[in-house]
Amino acid sequence: MRYQHLLRAGALIAALQPAALARAEVHFVVVGGLGGEPAYEQRFAAETRELEAAGRTLSGDPSRVRALSGGAATREAVQEAFGAVARAASSEDVLVSIFVGHGNVDGAVYKLNLPGPDPTCDELRQWLDRVPARRQLVVLATSASGGCVAPLQRTGRVVLSATRSGTERNVPVFSRYFVEALRDPTADRDHDESVTALEAFRYAEQKVQRFYADAKRLATEHATLSSDAAREFVVARRGAAARVASNVKPAPPALAARRAALETEVHALRERKAGMETEAYWTELERTLVELARVQDSIDVATGQP
Amino acid sequence: MKVHALVLVSAFTALSPRAGAEVLPECAAHRERGRLAEARACYTAALRSESDALVLAEAQWRLGRREEANALFRRAAAQRPRDPAPRLGWARLFLESHNAAEAGKLFEEVLTLDPNAAEAHLGLALAAAEVFDEEATQHAQKALELDPKLTEARVLLARLALEEQDVKTAAAHLDAAEKMPGSPLATYALRAAIDQLAGRPESPWTKKALDRNPRYGEIYATPAHLFMLQRQYAEAADLYRRAVEVEPELWSAHAELGVNLWRLGDEEGARRHLETAYRGDPYDPTIVNSLRLLDSLKRFRTFRTRRGILRLHEKEAELMRPYVEELLEKAIDAYQAKYQFTVPRPVQLEVYPDHEDFAVRTLGLPGLGALGVSFGHVVAMDSPSGRPPGSFHWGSTLWHELNHVFVLESTRHRAPRWISEGLAVYEESLAGEGWGDHLTPDVIEAIREKKLLPIVLLDRGFVRPDYPGQVAVSYYQAGAVCEMIAREWGFPKLLAMLRAYTDGRATPEIVETELGLTAERFDERFRQFLAARTGAIVAAFEPEWKPLMKKIAALREEKKLAEAVEPARRARDLYPEYVDEGNAYELLADAAFERGDKAGAAAELDAYRKAGGRDPAVLKRLAAWCVELGRKDQAQHVLEQLLWIRPGDEELHVRLGDLLLEAKKPQPALRELQSVLALQPLDPVDAHYKLALAYHQLQDRARTREHVLQALEEAPGYRPAQKLLLEIHDDHDPD
């Protein structure tokens, strides 16, 4: 059910037509860097495993998920992983790259700490640029990652970083909460059973703030987001949304179109809220939402949903 | 003019009898008699005629130019590296400028030049006395030993004795001081204090002092200081007010008057006097901190309750208000009935999310170890958000402080610490399961080492502890004493004792007349009471309990929970109050859970909770198990108890709200769900939806609509909210 609704909020963006969407694939590259000590080794490896599992659920094809951590996550191996995606992906596809671990800024150059030589920010950029997928999400959840945001930015690429600059050098807790967002239902802020990168980012950001407030410590990390287009990337699905790929009966086209139109109306109304009389706004919103709820009732009946 | 060191240091020691050889003695004599214009002229003339850096420093200091004085003292010390005099004067300047650390270094330097410098020991004593350090007495005694004519040391010993309410010793020191050289004014001030503390407000010593020096504000400020130490803030404020009337430039008295007025709830008066004090003494951190905090009060919101006034920081007012208000009113109801007393004014409760703000509110300085303080009808306390999560039972603290309100107000602040703290501790433990202070290893050690104080000296354990941890031990002891009296003589006896303190009677007499025992017999009876309660663990603590805990920890580490069960049970039974790190309850719960006995696991954690266990994660686990076992009422009860420990926990309110909604208790559910919203939740949609459900249960359609629309505004496709919207819409407009 709610196939188009899911897509509207998801990586495979609303502006695209279903035919185009059918061709789009999501490729994942997850890298867990060098820990340096057992506690971090274990933490980064565990986070990498969770991200890999989330990627597999999301992509529906394990071959499109490449995860490297610990001793296997060398500079060459990471480069090769991106090379493999570059060979497999089309321009319509989506690339989600997530890096956890330590990073540092050496001079003005960000480096991802891996066994052996550390790749620089410029090298990461080159590897990402070679992937033809136009829409790319990069999650740099390492220390000092803010030092690599600007170089990575380009049209169609959204970059999230755990820190706002290269000078925030302590190991961030952001990655822990970003991973948590993929399994915690409360991260799904709009309750559409899909967690977008924007939702996961906001969830992690809020959890990081609470972490430092509870610990009575000055925050040594401030996550950044290069664009609200992060809402167009789904990073986890739950419930019915997770079953979409399998065998849910699609909504009748007319009802689906009406629902999409009403959702668009709700969004448009929200944008006009500031300029409207309060009661007029809520009355109008109620009218639209009631109709949307009735349309959804009809869709549920048509698709056999409870 | 001869070169000497000078006197007149801190507020208390201003115009004290003598501190070594005097610099500019003729100028000092004018000051001592209150001839301030002549004194000023004398110092000004010295500035013109003298060239010695030490003399100039002295003159600048007395003319109020401390920075110039500081530079001159530095120069004098450099010019005379082997002479203690410049360092002694310089150190006194630092003391007066509230920099005891620098003063202490200079006094120590003097002692390296001359280990028998009585003045330096006296200086160290004064510095220690400022912070109620017990070493003050030792230093003063050493100073006197080195120089038996050092009057100021004798006067200091008298003051220290009075601070401990030891009038007899104080009087003996004052008798000795009167026979010594120097100004008698400080002696008069302490004599006046003795009279006033004994209920004789019109002391002949006051007149005698003012006849000698009509500008001698300390004649009021010294008694005021001692009233303040006895928490009689109104009396202290009244005396400080008189002090500044006779000596308007006594900045320390303005500062103390400001602080005391604030304690009494008069913020406007407090600000006025603190600002005056700041203009005269910008070096006093108490003044600066207090003024800053007064400025920051604009970020607090004030709420009137039925019988109280709440001041909550704007960032948590919405969250905290319902819980604080509920407990405040409940406590006032309970104490009003039990203590047969009505507080004549609204109780003002201030809750500080920043602990250092609370410390400044209390003492004017950061670094206070306390959690709450009562000034009478005004109470200040830490917010739970100011402490690490779960480390602070704020409900228990509030209950404790509100007991002080009743005890202090009903006795006109005459109850000594042992009974006011003892009653507060005792009442806390009755207020709820697991509330109050518990038997800690420190207390066990103190009992084992026979460090508990006799009843007549118990106040000393609060005011001037002899060993680290004695304050906490004294709280426990005082609580246990009150509990024993309540059990063995009945609670009304405690009320009778309070009345006797109000009448100005002393502890030995009160114990004898109200309880029918001498103080010594009472102490013996208490030892027996305590032995019955703690004897087993005190005896087993070192030889058995500690080794058991070590064994349990090792088995836990090796994940051999089954093997740890028997020793853990023994450890728990020996010392059931131990609920801190590594406690036996959690291990026993884990072991029960591991063998599939969830009910057994829950029972262990419930025992942990009742014994005073407060770890929010553990209590939430207990609540979750209760839900899984179908004991939703118990889960609700556990979560409600957690509200008094960690109200800023979003998950707590969400889970409690869910349970209350499910139990069709919409009114309490509303409070929890509103708390969720106040915490700026991760999932505001869910919070609005559940609020809509609660209002729907209350058949409040308007608010149901309001919240369901807010949920759907953010999440238009949220199916449960859509269904609720249709339900209220169809109910309202079936066509």
Side-chain angles (χ1 to χ4, degrees):
Chain A
M1 75 157 223
R2 301 169 65 193
Y3 186 51
Q4 288 165 334
H5 175 64
L6 166 76
L7 296 175
R8 179 196 57 72
L12 319 175
I13 333 169
L16 300 175
Q17 294 304 305
L21 292 172
R23 292 198 304 272
E25 289 174 347
V26 184
H27 300 266
F28 271 83
V29 177
V30 183
V31 179
L34 199 60
E37 55 184 84
Y40 288 133
E41 294 288 358
Q42 287 166 19
R43 182 182 137 189
F44 298 155
E47 288 173 355
T48 307
R49 278 196 301 276
E50 279 209 57
L51 290 163
E52 180 184 11
R56 284 172 188 238
T57 305
L58 197 61
S59 73
D61 180 353
S63 71
R64 291 201 291 268
V65 180
R66 292 165 177 84
L68 298 159
S69 73
T74 61
R75 180 181 173 283
E76 291 70 27
V78 175
Q79 183 177 11
E80 173 47 33
F82 279 104
V85 179
R87 292 189 290 278
S90 74
S91 62
E92 299 304 315
D93 288 350
V94 172
L95 170 63
V96 177
S97 316
I98 306 179
F99 303 88
V100 296
H102 298 293
N104 71 297
V105 169
D106 186 358
V109 179
Y110 168 85
K111 289 181 178 175
L112 175 66
N113 298 168
L114 297 179
D118 293 339
T120 64
C121 182
D122 197 43
E123 287 171 318
L124 294 178
R125 183 186 56 74
Q126 289 171 27
W127 299 341
L128 288 162
D129 285 352
R130 285 184 197 129
V131 176
R134 279 199 301 266
R135 281 156 291 120
Q136 297 188 4
L137 171 71
V138 182
V139 181
L140 281 170
T142 73
S143 42
S145 49
C148 189
V149 173
L152 292 188
Q153 281 180 337
R154 68 155 213 206
T155 306
R157 182 183 293 154
V158 172
V159 185
L160 315 185
S161 70
T163 78
R164 67 180 163 208
S165 72
T167 57
E168 292 188 325
R169 283 176 284 191
N170 292 345
V171 181
V173 292
F174 177 84
S175 59
R176 179 195 303 173
Y177 295 121
F178 189 85
V179 170
E180 192 178 290
L182 308 187
R183 56 180 141 79
D184 186 343
T186 59
D188 176 17
R189 206 171 158 109
D190 64 2
H191 288 254
D192 68 350
E193 301 189 324
S194 300
V195 177
T196 67
L198 181 64
E199 287 173 328
F201 174 83
R202 294 216 166 123
Y203 174 94
E205 186 185 38
Q206 201 169 345
K207 284 270 190 163
V208 167
Q209 285 168 3
R210 288 184 183 182
F211 170 85
Y212 285 101
D214 283 352
K216 307 282 166 219
R217 283 166 51 190
L218 209 57
T220 53
E221 59 185 281
H222 301 83
T224 67
L225 171 70
S226 68
S227 158
D228 275 359
R231 68 163 54 92
E232 295 166 359
F233 293 86
V234 165
V235 289
R237 288 179 185 146
R238 300 184 301 109
R243 298 193 298 274
V244 161
S246 49
N247 39 30
V248 175
K249 197 174 165 187
L255 287 172
R258 183 62 191 146
R259 178 175 65 189
L262 288 165
E263 284 173 353
T264 305
E265 210 175 302
V266 169
H267 287 287
L269 201 52
R270 279 167 52 178
E271 284 175 9
R272 298 203 312 273
K273 182 178 181 179
M276 291 177 72
E277 290 293 327
T278 305
E279 197 42 51
Y281 169 77
W282 290 112
T283 303
E284 183 66 12
L285 184 70
E286 182 178 21
R287 185 198 60 73
T288 313
L289 287 170
V290 166
E291 189 183 349
L292 179 60
R294 292 199 197 289
V295 169
Q296 189 60 52
D297 270 359
S298 303
I299 290 173
D300 285 355
V301 170
T303 56
Q305 295 300 310
Chain B
M1 286 186 182
K2 289 200 321 202
V3 176
H4 301 286
L6 197 348
V7 199
L8 316 184
V9 191
S10 65
F12 176 78
T13 54
L15 294 176
S16 56
R18 173 178 169 272
E22 291 182 352
V23 178
L24 301 168
E26 57 272 45
C27 303
H30 287 305
R31 293 187 66 219
E32 203 267 342
R33 289 293 186 150
R35 298 188 293 263
L36 298 188
E38 290 88 336
R40 192 168 182 81
C42 180
Y43 287 120
T44 306
L47 282 182
R48 288 198 209 98
S49 61
E50 296 291 328
S51 58
D52 183 283
L54 178 56
V55 178
L56 295 174
E58 181 62 38
Q60 292 285 20
W61 178 10
R62 296 306 165 200
L63 289 166
R65 300 169 192 150
R66 293 193 217 194
E67 286 177 19
E68 289 85 341
N70 181 46
L72 286 160
F73 274 125
R74 181 180 289 112
R75 194 199 304 169
Q79 286 169 349
R80 298 191 225 166
R82 308 295 308 164
D83 183 358
R87 284 168 182 77
L88 285 170
W90 197 8
R92 290 296 192 116
L93 175 66
F94 275 120
L95 260 188
E96 190 184 84
S97 304
H98 316 282
N99 190 340
E102 286 302 314
K105 283 184 206 165
L106 285 162
F107 288 129
E108 295 288 356
E109 272 183 41
V110 171
L111 288 175
T112 60
L113 294 173
D114 176 7
N116 293 325
E119 291 282 341
H121 285 288
L122 170 61
L124 290 172
L126 289 167
E130 289 295 317
V131 291
F132 302 97
D133 187 330
E134 55 165 338
E135 288 190 357
T137 304
Q138 294 157 27
H139 284 300
Q141 281 167 342
K142 179 73 179 169
L144 263 187
E145 190 184 306
L146 292 166
D147 180 0
K149 292 186 176 175
L150 194 55
T151 316
E152 194 181 357
R154 184 66 75 186
V155 172
L156 177 60
L157 285 170
R159 169 196 162 189
L160 293 172
L162 264 189
E163 284 181 356
E164 288 181 31
Q165 299 174 53
D166 182 354
V167 177
K168 199 173 157 190
T169 305
H173 283 302
L174 292 175
D175 288 346
E178 275 169 8
K179 299 183 183 96
M180 293 163 76
S183 168
L185 286 173
T187 313
Y188 295 168
L190 288 168
R191 294 267 193 214
I194 290 172
D195 282 348
Q196 290 173 31
L197 289 166
R200 299 186 293 274
E202 298 307 320
S203 169
W205 300 99
T206 307
K207 182 175 182 318
K208 208 167 173 179
L210 292 175
D211 285 347
R212 184 177 178 91
N213 178 351
R215 312 288 292 273
Y216 185 55
E218 278 294 333
I219 193 62
Y220 296 114
T222 297
H225 169 76
L226 291 158
F227 273 106
M228 189 188 70
L229 289 186
Q230 294 188 22
R231 299 178 292 178
Q232 298 187 41
Y233 305 111
E235 289 81 353
D238 185 48
L239 286 163
Y240 279 125
R241 197 175 279 116
R242 294 166 79 176
V244 301
E245 277 165 17
V246 298
E247 189 177 351
E249 293 187 352
L250 190 56
W251 312 121
S252 58
H254 279 289
E256 292 296 346
L257 176 55
V259 167
N260 278 285
L261 288 175
W262 195 6
R263 286 172 178 155
L264 296 166
D266 176 3
E267 280 171 26
E268 200 179 314
R271 181 185 291 281
R272 195 168 59 249
H273 285 283
L274 284 164
E275 284 175 349
T276 303
Y278 179 73
R279 284 194 290 275
D281 182 4
Y283 302 92
D284 186 342
T286 300
I287 300 170
V288 176
N289 292 336
S290 298
L291 282 169
R292 279 188 185 146
L293 184 56
L294 272 170
D295 284 345
S296 77
L297 288 184
K298 59 179 179 283
R299 296 201 308 272
F300 282 69
R301 289 170 60 191
T302 302
F303 305 96
R304 284 246 167 210
T305 71
R306 199 155 45 93
R307 277 163 309 181
I309 299 168
L310 291 185
R311 299 193 83 167
L312 303 171
H313 195 281
E314 61 188 11
K315 75 177 182 185
E316 60 183 20
E318 203 178 335
L319 170 70
M320 292 295 293
R321 182 184 175 184
Y323 305 104
V324 178
E325 185 168 346
E326 177 192 314
L327 202 57
L328 174 75
E329 293 294 335
K330 189 176 165 190
I332 292 174
D333 281 341
Y335 287 137
Q336 197 163 293
K338 191 168 181 180
Y339 286 73
Q340 300 157 25
F341 177 76
T342 302
V343 181
R345 294 163 286 193
V347 176
Q348 181 170 319
L349 175 64
E350 302 168 7
V351 182
Y352 290 88
D354 183 334
H355 174 73
E356 298 305 2
D357 283 347
F358 161 66
V360 168
R361 176 68 171 101
T362 307
L363 292 179
L365 296 169
L368 176 72
L371 303 166
V373 66
S374 166
F375 304 117
H377 73 290
V378 177
V379 173
M381 62 181 281
D382 270 337
S383 163
S385 66
R387 294 264 163 182
S391 67
F392 171 42
H393 197 303
W394 71 271
S396 196
T397 297
L398 192 152
W399 202 267
H400 178 113
E401 296 306 329
L402 287 174
N403 183 265
H404 287 329
V405 172
F406 280 78
V407 169
L408 293 179
E409 291 273 317
S410 66
T411 61
R412 300 201 301 276
H413 291 237
R414 289 184 176 179
R417 279 180 201 267
W418 81 262
I419 196 166
S420 63
E421 295 300 351
L423 277 168
V425 168
Y426 169 63
E427 293 290 359
E428 263 186 278
S429 66
L430 299 179
E433 285 171 333
W435 287 39
D437 291 335
H438 303 285
L439 184 69
T440 62
D442 279 355
V443 175
I444 291 173
E445 295 276 358
I447 297 172
R448 197 164 56 87
E449 293 171 14
K450 303 193 187 317
K451 284 181 169 175
L452 299 195
L453 293 168
I455 185 81
V456 295
L457 295 179
L458 188 47
D459 266 26
R460 190 189 161 92
F462 295 97
V463 180
R464 210 173 291 278
D466 289 325
Y467 57 90
Q470 192 180 16
V471 173
V473 170
S474 300
Y475 272 96
Y476 180 85
Q477 183 184 349
V481 165
C482 288
E483 186 184 339
M484 181 183 81
I485 295 171
R487 281 190 182 193
E488 299 190 5
W489 282 271
F491 183 78
K493 276 290 175 201
L494 284 159
L495 295 182
M497 292 174 81
L498 289 179
R499 284 192 293 273
Y501 280 117
T502 313
D503 295 340
R505 289 156 62 197
T507 300
E509 183 196 346
I510 291 174
V511 170
E512 197 150 345
T513 54
E514 300 299 337
L515 306 180
L517 294 176
T518 62
E520 293 74 20
R521 285 284 304 130
F522 179 85
D523 290 334
E524 180 52 37
R525 180 106 165 234
F526 178 65
R527 270 191 291 277
Q528 289 164 10
F529 174 82
L530 204 58
R533 175 192 287 191
T534 64
I537 181 57
V538 170
F541 187 67
E542 286 292 341
E544 189 179 358
W545 187 79
K546 276 191 173 176
L548 276 173
M549 293 303 282
K550 199 170 167 186
K551 185 174 178 183
I552 293 166
L555 289 168
R556 195 195 309 251
E557 184 75 26
E558 294 167 28
K559 302 196 188 312
K560 293 178 179 169
L561 294 185
E563 277 182 54
V565 166
E566 275 317 305
R569 280 185 182 145
R570 174 70 183 152
R572 176 201 61 192
D573 295 343
L574 270 176
Y575 186 3
E577 294 95 333
Y578 187 77
V579 288
D580 292 335
E581 193 77 17
N583 68 77
Y585 296 101
E586 286 181 68
L587 184 142
L588 289 167
D590 288 344
F593 187 76
E594 193 179 75
R595 61 177 185 267
D597 178 10
K598 197 180 283 178
E604 281 299 336
L605 291 192
D606 205 42
Y608 159 85
R609 180 182 67 81
K610 287 175 178 163
R614 293 166 182 178
D615 184 332
V618 175
L619 296 182
K620 283 197 280 189
R621 192 177 351 141
L622 168 60
W625 284 344
C626 290
V627 170
E628 288 164 24
L629 289 163
R631 302 174 192 162
K632 293 187 176 172
D633 284 350
Q634 191 185 356
Q636 182 189 316
H637 179 66
V638 171
L639 294 175
E640 281 168 346
Q641 292 305 303
L642 199 45
L643 292 171
W644 311 118
I645 299 170
R646 202 185 174 199
D649 183 336
E650 179 186 334
E651 186 194 355
L652 160 65
H653 298 289
V654 169
R655 286 168 61 175
L656 185 52
D658 285 350
L659 284 170
L660 291 164
L661 272 180
E662 199 182 324
K664 302 276 186 256
K665 296 176 181 170
Q667 203 63 53
L670 275 183
R671 183 175 82 169
E672 299 317 313
L673 297 164
Q674 278 157 349
S675 295
V676 175
L677 269 190
L679 283 163
Q680 299 179 328
L682 292 159
D683 188 354
V685 168
D686 192 56
H688 279 297
Y689 167 64
K690 285 173 181 163
L691 270 168
L693 283 179
Y695 282 120
H696 192 48
Q697 286 184 7
L698 288 166
Q699 300 181 324
D700 182 340
R701 187 184 182 278
R703 289 215 161 106
T704 306
R705 172 184 177 266
E706 178 189 328
H707 286 283
V708 79
L709 287 180
Q710 285 189 69
L712 287 167
E713 181 188 33
E714 179 89 5
Y718 186 29
R719 204 65 188 109
Q722 284 185 335
K723 288 180 177 171
L724 179 60
L725 177 65
L726 287 181
E727 192 180 333
I728 62 164
H729 205 265
D730 292 345
D731 284 349
H732 188 65
D733 183 11
D735 299 329

